[in-house]
Amino acid sequence: MDSYDLVIANGVCVTAADVAPCDVAVKGEKIVLLAPSGSLAGAATKRLIDAEGGYVMPGGIDCHVHLEEPSLFGQGSSADSFESGTRSAVAGGNTTVVAFAPQQKHLDSVLAALADAHALARGNCYCDYGFHTLVANPSPTALSEFPRLAGGEGVTSLKVYMTYAALQLRDDEILSVLLAARRSRLLTMIHAENGDALAWLTDRLEAAHLFAPRYHAHAHAPALESEATHRAIALSALLAGTPILLVHVSEPAAARRIREAQAAGQPVFAETCPQYLFLTRDDLDRPGFEGAKCVCAPPPRTRADQAALWRGLRDGTFAVLSSDHCAFRYDDAAAGKKTSVSPAHPVGRFRHIPNGLPGVETRLPLAFAARKLPPTRFVEVSSTNAAKLYGLYPRKGSMIPGVSDADLVVWYPAGALGEFALTNDMLHHDADYTPYEGRTLDNWPRYTILRGQVVWDRDGGGIVGEKGFGKFLKRERSSLHGIWETVEEEGPFDLEAL
Ligand code: DUC
Ligand code: ZN
């Protein structure tokens, strides 16, 4: 019998396509064989893991995390560094994250921003990582750098914002970005909220002395998201169907518009996040200032909206379920949520509450416990589609022998943990809270394996991987649904002439 460095025996393997009891054999950093359950238990030379009937899946890929960014979303600064954020990621079953390299508005170059992000991440990560460029200033320099991003740098996606003073682009600027991105085959991620209307509403609410966290949800009205989503889709269509991905979609009208564009054959993709599936706007109305723990943008909506988003995850409207992890400490008046509290505003001013929630570690366990997706679809939206969308497939997000990295998450057998309440002290981020405190869960990643190495062993030391083992991933162009192969070359006018 051949021998293998690592064998995971007696698991139920789940990919985006299949569910089957089988053993997984690993040599070096790769999966090399899938074989009938129990057949490889004697073939491990270094380590044998008995999955005892638990699920074995490709490691989670969280393609939307904010780590160690400057202050961009109101005041305050990120609680999580690349070190603490990726530590938290592996404890939650993830083997890859894609974070942002933020260009600030006063700077010309996106390559310089990328170099800064590399300097922060290099040698500090527990899991593999890539970067999306964040374009806040589409200067001639920045646009001229796109071919290099897609080529040598391996950064094949970028994000633009339709809101936030520090980041917002006008429609003409978005068009310039989309056209340049199309030419370099970069996927454009869009935060769709109408920033001007939002600022106007915020001023009106403040003029009426409505400052508490719950008014954040009033200012970020659903109509502002659906309007901006519609506009983003129209701009993509204007440029002959240039691919876009709407990030963190929170409400059904936006989802319906996305579905309609998809049905018409437009290359429009979408993401949703756990905060829109498990929180509601009532969470912004927790006593005192506690609602600030759930302030993110867009905000959590209603129970009916949650149900619509689950439907969108099942029916394919949403390709990915990401965390949008963007952690700020709560009880921190210098850099966290409480920077917005003052003697004049004891419940803070919602406009100054840093927007964002911790969630990289809880994304998979929360979605697992919800039991609203078939296992194959769970893998597809939490790993496989992220790999395809962001040019990592099939090295990541799959279990193809000889091809896929041995990036795996092994769950406990059904019922082994019983029901338990989530508490922040179980988590490995540097935030001082989780918005999901007290939620009932019934499973957790038992092992996380990155390129053949166990990096998280819940019962055998917790974090057992090393900081710096996580590698930077150069990404290829997106391959989800062959988006660049099928992109229309002919538009209503000659794009090459623009
Ligand atoms: N929304 C958040 O809540 N945080 C970070 C960025 C964003 O768009
Ligand atoms: Zn966003």
Side-chain angles (χ1 to χ4, degrees):
M1 184 191 265
D2 281 343
S3 56
Y4 306 97
D5 298 328
L6 168 68
V7 169
I8 299 116
N10 305 317
V12 176
C13 291
V14 187
T15 64
D18 296 303
V19 181
C22 56
D23 291 357
V24 185
V26 175
K27 264 191 191 169
E29 299 199 334
K30 294 284 180 196
I31 293 171
V32 292
L33 181 69
L34 302 180
S37 203
S39 64
L40 299 180
T45 52
K46 295 190 183 146
R47 183 152 184 189
L48 170 68
I49 289 176
D50 187 348
E52 301 178 298
Y55 284 136
V56 179
M57 299 176 171
I61 300 178
D62 195 338
C63 50
H64 190 157
V65 302
H66 299 265
L67 300 174
E68 229 165 322
E69 291 180 4
S71 183
L72 300 169
F73 313 113
Q75 48 202 27
S77 57
S78 169
D80 276 316
S81 60
F82 281 89
E83 177 178 346
S84 63
T86 57
R87 183 179 70 207
S88 186
V90 298
N94 301 286
T95 46
T96 296
V97 297
V98 190
F100 293 92
Q103 177 205 31
Q104 300 202 57
K105 262 212 189 297
H106 62 283
L107 299 175
D108 262 352
S109 167
V110 288
L111 287 176
L114 181 61
D116 292 346
H118 271 297
L120 294 171
R122 194 175 299 118
N124 286 322
C125 291
Y126 284 86
C127 65
D128 286 353
Y129 62 97
F131 291 117
H132 312 286
T133 301
L134 194 172
V135 183
N137 174 12
S139 66
T141 304
L143 298 180
S144 74
E145 291 171 337
F146 283 14
R148 211 155 115 229
L149 285 178
E153 300 296 336
V155 171
T156 52
S157 47
L158 58 86
K159 183 176 180 191
V160 296
Y161 284 80
M162 298 171 84
T163 184
Y164 288 122
L167 301 167
Q168 184 175 340
L169 301 191
R170 299 185 310 266
D171 291 354
D172 59 325
E173 293 175 312
I174 294 173
L175 284 167
S176 296
V177 170
L178 285 175
L179 187 59
R182 176 191 179 93
R183 288 179 173 147
S184 292
R185 301 310 199 219
L186 297 169
L187 178 64
T188 302
M189 308 158 75
I190 304 187
H191 176 135
E193 286 186 286
N194 182 324
D196 294 354
L198 207 166
W200 182 86
L201 269 173
T202 302
D203 289 344
R204 289 298 170 114
L205 287 161
E206 285 220 327
H209 296 96
L210 302 174
F211 298 111
R214 70 170 176 277
Y215 295 109
H216 174 81
H218 295 229
H220 291 250
L224 306 192
E225 183 179 346
S226 51
E227 182 281 326
T229 301
H230 176 76
R231 190 156 32 103
I233 291 171
L235 299 180
S236 146
L238 182 67
L239 298 182
T242 292
I244 55 169
L245 173 114
L246 281 312
V247 291
H248 48 52
V249 174
S250 74
E251 64 93 38
R256 279 195 300 275
R257 182 66 193 92
I258 290 163
R259 187 93 177 134
E260 186 186 41
Q262 291 168 342
Q266 276 189 256
V268 172
F269 300 91
E271 166 197 270
T272 192
C273 309
Q275 47 273 38
Y276 309 115
L277 303 171
F278 297 102
L279 302 175
T280 67
R281 57 185 293 161
D282 293 344
D283 287 296
L284 300 185
D285 206 11
R286 293 181 188 176
F289 185 61
E290 290 271 319
K293 290 181 173 175
C294 299
V295 166
C296 57
R301 307 290 189 185
T302 66
R303 280 210 171 272
D305 294 349
Q306 291 179 345
L309 297 180
W310 279 113
R311 277 197 298 280
L313 273 171
R314 282 192 294 270
D315 71 19
T317 306
F318 299 112
V320 283
L321 173 68
S322 316
S323 70
D324 193 8
H325 179 94
C326 184
F328 297 94
R329 292 176 63 79
Y330 173 69
D331 201 10
D332 181 340
K337 298 280 187 183
K338 288 194 176 169
T339 46
S340 59
V341 174
S342 64
H345 297 97
V347 288
R349 286 175 71 180
F350 72 84
R351 79 180 323 150
H352 292 313
I353 300 174
N355 285 195
L357 311 180
V360 70
E361 191 168 345
T362 47
R363 176 183 71 123
L364 296 178
L366 283 169
F368 192 102
R371 300 279 187 287
K372 291 195 193 265
L373 301 174
T376 49
R377 185 69 186 148
F378 176 87
V379 169
E380 196 168 27
V381 298
S382 64
S383 178
T384 311
N385 276 354
K388 291 179 177 174
L389 197 52
Y390 294 111
L392 293 167
Y393 187 83
R395 178 174 166 201
K396 304 290 190 188
S398 193
M399 294 173 65
I400 303 174
V403 172
S404 302
D405 282 354
D407 289 358
L408 298 163
V409 53
V410 182
W411 295 84
Y412 285 88
L417 289 184
E419 290 195 340
F420 61 96
L422 174 68
T423 57
N424 191 52
D425 59 13
M426 294 173 186
L427 303 179
H428 297 77
H429 54 207
D430 272 350
D432 55 355
Y433 79 98
T434 167
Y436 309 107
E437 185 78 25
R439 295 268 157 169
T440 302
L441 300 177
D442 61 357
N443 211 325
W444 196 270
R446 185 178 185 184
Y447 302 97
T448 306
I449 298 165
L450 172 61
R451 286 180 278 108
Q453 300 296 314
V454 178
V455 293
W456 164 251
D457 179 346
R458 190 165 178 267
D459 303 314
I463 298 284
V464 292
E466 281 179 17
K467 178 176 105 163
F469 182 62
K471 275 193 203 159
F472 172 66
L473 299 168
K474 283 195 178 186
R475 296 183 288 115
E476 307 287 326
R477 69 170 60 155
S478 177
S479 69
L480 188 66
H481 305 326
I483 60 176
W484 292 114
E485 281 62 46
T486 53
V487 76
E488 306 251 345
E489 288 307 337
E490 297 295 317
F493 36 72
D494 180 5
L495 289 180
E496 289 314 309
L498 293 183

